[in-house]
Amino acid sequence: MNQNLFDLTGKVALITGASRGIGLAIAESFASYGAKVVLSSRKQEALDQAAEKIQTQGGEAFPFAAHTGDSESIRELVEKSVERFGGVDILVNNAATNPHFGPILTSEESHWDKILGVNLKGYFRTIKACTDSMIQRGGGKVINIASVAGLTYQQGMGIYGISKAGVIMLTKTLAVELAKDNIQVNAIVPGFIQTRFSQVLWETPENHEKIISMIPQGRMGQPEEVTGMALYLASAASSFTTGEIMILDGGQTAGNQI
């Protein structure tokens, strides 16, 4: 395959949840392939540090704090991105939250409101805010970060899993509805990736061993191992790929051990 298919030179990529973990790894990868990247999360200081890291590596990055749970914040984020770089070609929805860990019936309505407001409605808000720019630029790419928790039960992760199941259906629906506009919408479904966000799941030896026992490859994934699929879905190489759910889990769901 022609390597130029993966070149992102001239493209603008907006990544939410980009100050660390999977989001930052994807941003670094996109910048190394020529994209101008907009980094967004809730804390400006962390974003500034992430942008400086990318710039030190020769990339171009614009850090802008925004809360995906707030429509006005997202509107401003996209406006500033267009103002800075001229438009948005690629959107990576990665920002997520999970304030409740435990059985669903021990949760409060406030937990549902926050989790669905960020993990599902937040994705919808950001996509809606970006599509006009993508259409004006002839098309675009939307990459939604879901989770294997949206495919099968994971202990203590019920509401989070429901939100990620919603992301998967949001992806499929918008892939059909935006196909006429040359916008491809796909989802990446990571398994256990070792990040600060997932730390509650693996920080004790007992939990870590339990997780490892579920994964045929015998280890957790690292954020950088998500970037290859993200690059494919962001680039011209995936021009005939839309509505797909790409599972990256070390064989976890294939082994049916959850």
Side-chain angles (χ1 to χ4, degrees):
M1 182 176 287
N2 188 336
Q3 287 185 336
N4 289 335
L5 286 174
F6 296 94
D7 184 14
L8 299 181
T9 301
K11 301 296 184 181
V12 178
L14 192 163
I15 302 112
T16 68
S19 61
R20 63 177 188 258
I22 291 173
L24 178 55
I26 289 174
E28 289 182 280
S29 173
F30 286 5
S32 72
Y33 277 82
K36 299 174 182 179
V37 294
V38 179
L39 311 178
S40 184
S41 70
R42 295 188 64 180
K43 297 181 179 179
Q44 187 65 46
E45 183 178 358
L47 288 171
D48 290 341
Q49 293 172 358
E52 183 178 359
K53 181 180 181 183
I54 290 171
Q55 290 160 355
T56 299
Q57 296 167 349
E60 191 169 355
F62 171 50
F64 190 86
H67 182 15
T68 58
D70 180 74
S71 296
E72 181 60 26
S73 183
I74 292 302
R75 184 194 62 76
E76 186 178 8
L77 166 64
V78 175
E79 283 186 356
K80 293 296 183 182
S81 301
V82 172
E83 182 180 306
R84 180 65 175 265
F85 290 138
V88 176
D89 303 289
I90 302 159
L91 169 64
V92 180
N93 271 318
N94 175 63
T97 189
N98 186 34
H100 179 264
F101 183 80
I104 283 181
L105 294 184
T106 66
S107 68
E108 303 293 337
E109 284 199 34
S110 60
H111 295 136
W112 287 81
D113 292 341
K114 186 167 185 178
I115 293 171
L116 295 178
V118 172
N119 297 7
L120 183 54
K121 288 179 68 177
Y123 281 25
F124 157 74
R125 291 184 187 103
T126 314
I127 296 168
K128 187 172 182 178
C130 288
T131 48
D132 282 349
S133 180
M134 290 181 178
I135 292 169
Q136 290 171 10
R137 290 162 75 87
K141 305 281 189 174
V142 176
I143 303 167
N144 294 323
I145 305 300
S147 168
V148 293
L151 297 174
T152 187
Y153 172 77
Q154 287 194 10
Q155 185 176 357
M157 302 287 286
I159 308 173
Y160 179 83
I162 290 167
S163 74
K164 292 301 186 177
V167 167
I168 289 170
M169 185 50 67
L170 177 70
T171 299
K172 290 179 174 289
T173 301
L174 286 178
V176 175
E177 295 182 355
L178 294 175
K180 67 182 185 306
D181 298 309
N182 191 31
I183 297 174
Q184 287 85 58
V185 186
N186 294 285
I188 296 176
V189 180
F192 288 108
I193 306 297
Q194 198 164 15
T195 66
R196 197 164 86 183
F197 182 83
S198 66
Q199 188 171 350
V200 68
L201 299 175
W202 55 263
E203 62 184 345
T204 67
E206 180 182 356
N207 286 346
H208 187 263
E209 289 176 11
K210 184 177 180 181
I211 287 171
I212 296 305
S213 71
M214 299 176 182
I215 306 171
Q217 283 193 242
R219 64 177 179 85
M220 295 180 69
Q222 298 301 313
E224 294 74 20
E225 294 181 291
V226 180
T227 62
M229 183 59 72
L231 177 62
Y232 166 70
L233 293 176
S235 71
S238 62
S239 59
F240 200 56
T241 302
T242 197
E244 294 303 317
I245 310 303
M246 308 295 198
I247 300 173
L248 307 178
D249 67 354
Q252 180 185 351
T253 51
N256 195 27
Q257 297 182 38
I258 298 180

